[in-house]
Amino acid sequence: MEANLSAAAQTALVCLVLCAAAGAPRPAAGAEGRLSLVAASDYVHRGLSLNDAGPALLAGASYRFDPGVYAGVWAATVSNSRTIVRGAAGRFEVNYLVGYSRPWRDAWDFDVAALRYEYPDSDAPIDYGYTELAVSVGYGGWLWFSAAVSRDATLVTLRGLEYDVTTAALELAVERPLRAWLSWAAGVGYFDFRDGATPGYAYFNAGLAARFRRLEAELQYIDTARGERLFGRRLAGPRVVLSLMASF
């Protein structure tokens, strides 16, 4: 795909993905497909706003094949405030994933996945896309630990640009029910730039999720430790994010 797309091509691409469906949905048990649409007050990934603290649209589609292989695609609107040249990385992020997950001894779940992050309307001389390998372990459907590694990440911080950096993300998350339709969730993580000159940062979140059949609403408080010194308060400072999701 050419890096410099026309405005019509950009619109068509995003409409196709958005109408297809968000945010890397977890594959459900058994062979089935899933489509999701999300509207959020911000697009936050690992504690950082990727849409310049503004409203975002996300959409995704995934399909799980027996006996546990799944694949998917998802897209989101993003800003360019984190790039060297404003507007250079494009306005859309499109991610592709393929993975394998299996339960073990009833209470445990294991998942391994490969993900590719792309910015198809970018006209930058720098490739902001990167590949990630992720492994997660879940217990009882309420506790999860995950680790993800990339060898070709591009980082733009207040200290400058770092290209083809090895990164590692470690996360621990928990979710417990309060009512049949209401649950609370919390998580903590650390993002490490292993071979860069920039130190890593920690991030955490806590909030509530309400589910009504195919609709879900989430309200989360999100913050980082040391993130503001690397990316500024607008992208890494404390925030409350509201998201509404429809799944089909």
Side-chain angles (χ1 to χ4, degrees), residues 200-245:
Y201 68 95
Y203 52 94
F204 53 90
N205 66 279
L208 298 172
R211 298 176 179 85
F212 303 92
R213 296 185 179 180
R214 295 180 178 179
L215 301 178
E216 180 175 340
E218 287 190 356
L219 185 66
Q220 289 193 353
Y221 174 80
I222 303 171
D223 201 356
T224 67
R226 201 160 58 188
E228 290 187 39
R229 286 187 285 176
L230 297 174
F231 301 96
R233 185 176 180 83
R234 185 172 180 83
L235 300 186
R239 69 198 66 236
V240 175
V241 176
L242 174 64
S243 61
L244 304 174
M245 180 174 71

Side-chain angles (χ1 to χ4, degrees), residues 41-214:
S41 60
D42 195 359
Y43 172 27
V44 179
H45 182 57
R46 291 172 182 156
L48 300 181
S49 170
L50 300 189
N51 206 44
D52 200 21
L57 293 176
L58 305 93
S62 67
Y63 191 86
R64 179 185 173 100
F65 307 86
D66 283 332
V69 176
Y70 63 90
V73 58
W74 61 287
T77 57
V78 296
S79 74
N80 289 275
S81 56
R82 58 193 175 86
T83 62
I84 295 296
V85 180
R86 191 169 184 86
R91 292 292 302 171
F92 309 114
E93 178 182 275
V94 180
N95 303 346
Y96 307 92
L97 69 154
V98 61
Y100 178 80
S101 64
R102 291 291 290 178
W104 183 67
R105 292 189 177 180
D106 298 329
W108 295 90
D109 290 283
F110 295 91
D111 189 294
V112 58
L115 304 92
R116 178 65 186 176
Y117 296 75
E118 291 283 0
Y119 303 88
D121 64 327
S122 170
D123 59 1
I126 299 171
D127 182 11
Y128 287 95
Y130 61 98
T131 301
E132 202 169 70
L133 297 178
V135 177
S136 66
V137 178
Y139 177 77
W142 62 272
L143 180 67
W144 296 272
F145 172 78
S146 63
V149 177
S150 175
R151 297 294 302 275
D152 60 347
T154 297
L155 302 175
V156 182
T157 72
L158 298 178
R159 303 182 181 186
L161 172 71
E162 295 185 49
Y163 188 65
D164 278 351
V165 176
T166 297
T167 63
L170 301 176
E171 297 181 353
L172 183 67
V174 60
E175 181 177 359
R176 300 295 287 173
L178 295 173
R179 297 285 188 274
W181 54 274
L182 182 67
S183 62
W184 66 267
V188 62
Y190 186 79
F191 192 55
D192 187 24
F193 317 145
R194 303 194 66 83
D195 57 0
T198 303
Y201 68 95
Y203 52 94
F204 53 90
N205 66 279
L208 298 172
R211 298 176 179 85
F212 303 92
R213 296 185 179 180
R214 295 180 178 179

